[in-house]
Amino acid sequence: KLTIFFDTKQQSYRRQVAMEIPTVSVAVCVLLLSLVGCSFSATTVFHDDFNGGNIDGNKWKHDKKTSGLGFEMYTPEHQNSYVRNGQLFICPTFTEDRFGADRFAHGSLDARELWGACDPNWGGDSCHTQGHKNRPIMSATLRSKTHIKYGRVEVRAKLPIGDWIWPGIWMMPTEPGHYGGWPKSGEIDMLETAGNLNLHHPNGRSLGVDMDQAHIHYGNARTGDGHARHEGMYNIPGTNFGANFHTYWLDWTADHIKVGVDSHTLMTVNTPSNSFWHEAGLHGTNIWANGGKNAPFDRPFYLILDV
């Protein structure tokens, strides 16, 4: 179960965001075949109720990088992720408050010097920034040390409300080098949304916290025709996803990837009969030719929680 909330105690534009995570549960379902049809057997392989007083290092790994995918860096520092009263909080803070105005504006920040290690980004230098390249926000990304290949993932969450807040519940390949760097080895997004209460596409469609978005990414190039994706969206009527708890789920087999929230299915992607490579119309040598019928989604993935 995952609770995410937004707190507006900071003055002016300065806002504090927190993810409060009472329980995260991941279950692997093994498909059993018989002469009379199909049945499922489920075994829970990952569960965390955060009652230990600290983030369990046997279950979770913090990202350590001074340059994230946006305007934040990801840290293992206590102010950005901590357990309190049986709940996990992921809380963005201001870099200037941690390092001072002069170092933030002119100095250097090095992940290895600060935290003893650096985790590679999905493109670009994630280990060192300086001056105007220093990120203004410090936050946290937690990766599960448990991975699954096929199964069901459920996260119960109450999402943050606040402009330009972007929570994510997603999955990435444990072996990113097996088929190659992003998006060659795939990506599954169970949840992405903006925290804005009033954010709309030019066509009028909401893009804010009342809209749940799910995606899968794959391909042989980061942009253009080499990047393929499927997406699904669900607009909750009369309220938003920050008002109450909802269960975000993934149902993943060799034959399909389904993503939804509560009783609503946002996206169903059935494994193409002629492979994802040919279904996307990709060119060149098929990098998934030696994989399973649903490659690149035939390898283990791990769970990510972040803001």
Side-chain angles (χ1 to χ4, degrees), residues 25-29 42-47 59 146-148 150 152:
S25 181
V26 180
V28 172
C29 301
T43 301
T44 299
V45 297
F46 183 85
H47 177 85
K59 295 181 178 180
T146 297
H147 59 260
I148 65 168
Y150 311 141
R152 185 172 179 90

Side-chain angles (χ1 to χ4, degrees), residues 209-212 234-241 244 246 262 264:
V209 71
D210 57 337
M211 179 66 74
D212 179 12
Y234 171 64
N235 179 236
I236 189 169
T239 183
N240 62 70
F241 289 103
N244 295 290
H246 298 274
D262 299 331
H264 305 278

Side-chain angles (χ1 to χ4, degrees), residues 134-187:
N134 289 332
R135 300 302 197 257
I137 300 298
M138 301 173 68
S139 191
T141 291
L142 273 70
R143 309 184 188 197
S144 69
K145 291 188 174 181
T146 297
H147 59 260
I148 65 168
K149 174 186 171 182
Y150 311 141
R152 185 172 179 90
V153 181
E154 293 187 355
V155 180
R156 185 161 176 79
K158 184 178 181 183
L159 301 185
I161 299 174
D163 290 353
W164 313 118
I165 305 303
W166 191 264
I169 304 171
W170 48 308
M171 300 189 72
M172 288 291 285
T174 306
E175 312 159 309
H178 187 80
Y179 293 119
W182 190 90
K184 295 176 182 178
S185 294
E187 174 182 334

Side-chain angles (χ1 to χ4, degrees), residues 14 28 42 75 90 105 122 152-153 184 186 253:
R14 302 186 62 169
V28 172
T75 89
I90 298 179
W122 292 281
R152 185 172 179 90
V153 181
K184 295 176 182 178
T253 73

